[in-house]
Amino acid sequence: MHTNAADSEATSLSASSPTRSPRRPAYFVQSPSRDSHDGEKTATSFHSTPVLSPMGSPPHSHSSSSRFSKINGGSKRKLAHAGDRKFARIEEEGLLHDGDREDKGLPRRCYVLAFIVGFSLLFAFFSLILYAAAKPQKPKILVKSITFEQLKVQAGQDAGGIGTDMITMNATLRMMYRNTGTFFGVHVTSSPIDLSFSQITIGSGTIKKFYQSRKSQRTVIVNMIGDKTPLYGSGSTLVPPPPPAPIPPKSKKKKGPIVIVEPPAPPAPVPMRLNFTVRSHAYVLGKLVHPKFYKRIVCLINFEHKKLNKHIALTNNCTVTSV
């Protein structure tokens, strides 16, 4: 009876154990079996060794699910590790690309500066060529003649009340101006045109500013005026000689030697000097290419009273020099 009771108790315990006893955790010992040699993938196999719980319950009901969960967890960790390495590689490549872009971006910033420097050098070279081509094309000036309409010497007083001879004159100067430039015009002015006698300026005038187009010429007329200029004793040669004395009529009653009255000798020519500078400015490329042509003109004039109101040729009596 005692034996049957023990068997029935064991049977009831075995029949009720799956439903009443709670799940016991199973413990496993994991050991890596193989590591890849390329450093990119790592395959890990797990050998599970079940360890009995202290209660001695068999882990057959939980072994398969625990193994699957552990393998699944190892795969997730492997994927997470691979994802981290892939992200690190992408981030490193991005940094490299950013560095390449920075290295390539440096010359682009210099494009504007290089363009400005290159354009400036090219423009300066072009301006130098224009200046070199324009400089030899100097204008030509030819002084033709001067005409004295009036030249009168009379007594007077200077500003200080000193009595002296005073001269008043009026003359017209003619010259020819030619622009030899093939691709530019010129703006022409002059310094005061001084007519001097014995180092005293007795008359002056100036050229009115004008523009002369390329490869053209014109006749320039300048009026020279002097009004009551003191001569301080040097005007005796400018005084016209007195007219010759009339020849007395022949007497029919008296016979004698015939007296021939010679006319007075003509006065010597009065030396005068004409001095001025003609300025020509060419604006080939604005004020950047601005060649200047200065011509200094000196003319020697021999004035005679008999040539009053007549043209006095100066073509061969003038010297034109470049300044």
Side-chain angles (χ1 to χ4, degrees):
M1 292 293 293
H2 182 74
T3 303
N4 293 331
D7 292 337
S8 62
E9 185 178 357
T11 302
S12 61
L13 288 174
S14 62
S16 60
S17 59
T19 58
R20 293 181 181 178
S21 61
R23 294 180 180 178
R24 298 290 190 273
Y27 299 92
F28 297 90
V29 178
Q30 302 175 0
S31 62
S33 63
R34 183 182 60 186
D35 294 335
S36 62
H37 298 283
D38 57 357
E40 295 181 358
K41 296 181 180 180
T42 304
T44 307
S45 63
F46 300 93
H47 297 280
S48 301
T49 303
V51 180
L52 294 178
S53 62
M55 299 299 298
S57 301
H60 298 290
S61 62
H62 304 287
S63 61
S64 60
S65 60
S66 300
R67 187 181 297 113
F68 178 76
S69 62
K70 294 298 182 181
I71 293 175
N72 191 14
S75 301
K76 289 181 180 181
R77 284 193 299 272
K78 181 174 70 175
L79 291 175
H81 182 65
D84 293 339
R85 285 171 36 178
K86 184 176 181 181
F87 178 76
R89 187 184 305 147
I90 292 173
E91 186 177 5
E92 183 179 0
E93 290 178 357
L95 293 174
L96 291 175
H97 289 318
D98 291 339
D100 294 338
R101 282 195 292 269
E102 290 179 359
D103 294 339
K104 293 180 180 179
L106 183 60
R108 293 180 182 176
R109 297 174 184 175
C110 299
Y111 285 163
V112 176
L113 181 60
F115 175 78
I116 293 175
V117 173
F119 180 78
S120 300
L121 293 176
L122 184 62
F123 186 78
F125 181 71
F126 179 70
S127 301
L128 185 61
I129 292 176
L130 287 179
Y131 184 83
K135 192 63 177 176
Q137 302 181 19
K138 300 177 181 180
K140 294 181 178 181
I141 302 174
L142 178 63
V143 181
K144 292 183 175 182
S145 64
I146 187 171
T147 303
F148 290 91
E149 287 86 9
Q150 180 185 9
L151 195 147
K152 181 175 63 175
V153 179
Q154 60 186 3
Q157 292 180 352
D158 62 0
I162 300 175
T164 182
D165 292 334
M166 312 287 285
I167 183 172
T168 300
M169 58 84 59
N170 186 12
T172 302
L173 179 67
R174 288 177 175 86
M175 68 181 73
M176 188 272 295
Y177 183 93
R178 177 177 176 78
N179 178 21
T180 61
T182 58
F183 59 93
F184 60 88
V186 291
H187 299 265
V188 184
T189 57
S190 74
S191 65
I193 302 174
D194 295 332
L195 179 65
S196 61
F197 164 72
S198 184
Q199 298 182 354
I200 299 174
T201 301
I202 61 176
S204 64
T206 184
I207 296 176
K208 294 182 180 179
K209 183 178 180 179
F210 65 91
Y211 174 79
Q212 191 67 35
S213 60
R214 62 185 183 90
K215 294 187 71 66
S216 62
Q217 65 182 24
R218 71 167 62 190
T219 298
V220 181
I221 298 177
V222 181
N223 293 323
M224 305 182 66
I225 299 174
D227 186 23
K228 296 180 180 180
T229 304
L231 296 175
Y232 300 106
S234 61
S236 58
T237 56
L238 291 174
V239 178
I247 299 175
K250 293 182 180 181
S251 176
K252 295 181 180 180
K253 296 181 180 180
K254 295 181 180 180
K255 295 181 180 180
I258 300 174
V259 179
I260 299 175
V261 179
E262 295 181 357
V270 178
M272 297 183 182
R273 181 185 177 94
L274 196 66
N275 185 9
F276 62 100
T277 302
V278 178
R279 305 186 185 98
S280 304
H281 297 259
Y283 298 93
V284 180
L285 197 63
K287 292 186 177 181
L288 296 177
V289 182
H290 180 201
K292 302 176 183 179
F293 308 97
Y294 289 178
K295 296 286 187 178
R296 185 177 181 82
I297 301 172
V298 178
C299 299
L300 300 178
I301 304 171
N302 293 322
F303 173 73
E304 298 181 24
H305 288 279
K306 66 179 181 179
K307 293 183 179 180
L308 196 66
N309 292 321
K310 293 181 180 180
H311 297 298
I312 301 175
L314 299 177
T315 304
N316 299 324
N317 296 336
C318 294
T319 302
V320 181
T321 56
S322 299
V323 180

